[in-house]
Amino acid sequence: DSALSLSRFHPVLAQMLQVPLVLGSPPEEREQLMEALFRAFDQNRDQLVDFRELVLGAHILARGIPGER
């Protein structure tokens, strides 16, 4: 299965964006951020982020929401 669980989400997202997210912050803060991003990307709330959700979420994260462009 190609969908990502929460545990696989952070490394994949960091690699896609080519940026380590929240470097230097405490582990608990990084964990909270990853959980919040995972929930935001998981549009159908199935506890997995599929390819479509990952691409759409990464695009919005990298570019901003449409109203901000």
Side-chain angles (χ1 to χ4, degrees):
D1 190 12
S2 62
L4 300 172
S5 63
L6 177 59
S7 64
R8 293 184 53 216
F9 177 74
H10 178 219
V12 170
L13 183 63
Q15 183 177 7
M16 278 184 66
L17 299 177
Q18 298 181 355
V19 192
L21 297 176
V22 293
L23 267 181
S25 63
E28 54 277 353
E29 286 182 20
R30 286 194 305 266
E31 181 71 22
Q32 289 174 352
L33 175 61
M34 284 301 107
E35 288 178 15
L37 286 171
F38 183 84
R39 285 192 308 272
F41 279 48
D42 183 17
Q43 294 178 348
N44 64 0
R45 305 291 184 242
D46 66 353
Q47 300 300 309
L48 295 169
V49 172
D50 63 31
F51 180 75
R52 181 181 176 280
E53 292 169 329
L54 182 64
V55 170
L56 289 173
H59 175 74
I60 291 170
L61 188 61
R63 298 286 182 191
I65 59 174
E68 293 179 347
R69 291 187 206 168

